[in-house]
Amino acid sequence: MSGLRRPGDGREDALLPDEIQARLGKRLDDVAKILAGALVTVAGVMTALGLSSDVVFVALNNESWPIYVASLCAILAIVCSIAAMLIRPTRRGNMWETAVLILGVIFYMVALSVAVVGAAKAAGGNGRPSIIDVSLTGPRSDPRLRFRVHADGVDTWATITVYAYAVGANGEALKPADFFRSNLRPNDRGVIEHRVDTPVAIPAGAWGIAINAVAANGSDVCETLAERGPTCVVIQLP
């Protein structure tokens, strides 16, 4: 039989077709085992980029699509790797295993790429402004308003509009409106950090001072349910 090895015929190192396919299948299984760690690898990339558990919960609450896509692709990569290891190491089986592993590698690379986008988007704060350290000092005849505006993850082309105005007891704006208004731009890292210290012109009948910070392309209605709604603060006059 020509397909069998015979002692002394100079073909001791020759391999049978079944042995070749078995070795090829073993190598493909090794690749499949590496792909099985796709989810752990993707999670490690997100963590290395600063995507902590708190930020993940915020991203999921905001329905951040890259987090969902990265997780789904990582799971599909694992499914492909498990399916590849269950295929028998025959000639046709190795062809199917190779095809399944190629598909798994594609899912794996997509998961890593989207994970980077998701980590950058979720950890960036979504460009929402915060108004903190608010205080109103001095006599009612000549008070000074102080506060700080902070935002991160702001697009470099975007601005955040901050304005302050007097309100009545029912929350209505009083004239003259907007005694303070400013358009803030982020630095090269997408961060806005701005301190305001301004005198206040209080009209007659004023109950308090309202401060609004509106993100770029966002709504300026405080009661809106939109994702990019404004930040609104009202401080009562003494």
Side-chain angles (χ1 to χ4, degrees):
M1 297 176 65
S2 59
L4 299 178
R5 290 177 292 178
R6 298 176 183 176
D9 63 357
R11 299 172 56 193
E12 287 80 7
D13 295 333
L15 296 176
L16 295 175
D18 290 343
E19 293 175 336
I20 295 175
Q21 296 302 323
R23 288 193 176 186
L24 180 58
K26 176 63 170 56
R27 293 177 181 176
L28 292 175
D29 287 344
D30 292 339
V31 176
K33 292 176 182 178
I34 294 174
L35 280 180
L39 192 59
V40 176
T41 305
V42 171
V45 170
M46 291 182 176
T47 302
L49 292 174
L51 194 61
S52 62
S53 58
D54 292 338
V55 178
V56 169
F57 290 138
V58 172
L60 294 177
N61 183 61
N62 292 337
E63 298 182 357
S64 180
W65 65 266
I67 304 298
Y68 292 104
V69 174
S71 301
L72 177 61
C73 290
I75 292 173
L76 290 176
I78 294 175
V79 171
C80 289
S81 66
I82 294 175
M85 288 187 289
L86 295 178
I87 298 176
R88 296 182 59 185
T90 61
R91 180 183 296 273
R92 177 173 294 182
N94 286 339
M95 292 177 60
W96 278 107
E97 187 173 3
T98 301
V100 172
L101 285 178
I102 291 175
L103 186 61
V105 169
I106 293 174
F107 282 129
Y108 177 66
M109 297 305 297
V110 171
L112 284 179
S113 301
V114 178
V116 173
V117 176
K121 180 179 179 180
N126 202 25
R128 293 175 178 170
S130 298
I131 301 174
I132 52 180
D133 299 336
V134 181
S135 65
L136 188 64
T137 60
R140 187 181 178 93
S141 59
D142 187 24
R144 295 194 69 87
L145 178 65
R146 296 180 177 89
F147 61 92
R148 184 160 61 93
V149 180
H150 174 82
D152 54 23
V154 183
D155 294 325
T156 54
W157 54 265
T159 61
I160 289 181
T161 302
V162 181
Y163 55 95
Y165 55 95
V167 295
N170 295 325
E172 71 280 8
L174 302 180
K175 295 183 179 181
D178 301 352
F179 59 80
F180 172 83
R181 176 177 285 267
S182 178
N183 292 325
L184 308 178
R185 297 190 66 88
N187 59 20
D188 294 339
R189 295 176 294 138
V191 177
I192 289 178
E193 188 70 38
H194 186 72
R195 295 182 179 275
V196 176
D197 185 347
T198 180
V200 178
I202 300 178
W207 177 87
I209 301 297
I211 309 169
N212 292 1
V214 182
N217 298 326
S219 172
D220 61 352
V221 180
C222 294
E223 293 78 12
T224 183
L225 298 179
E227 179 180 353
R228 295 182 66 82
T231 299
C232 303
V233 173
V234 177
I235 180 170
Q236 184 178 357
L237 293 170

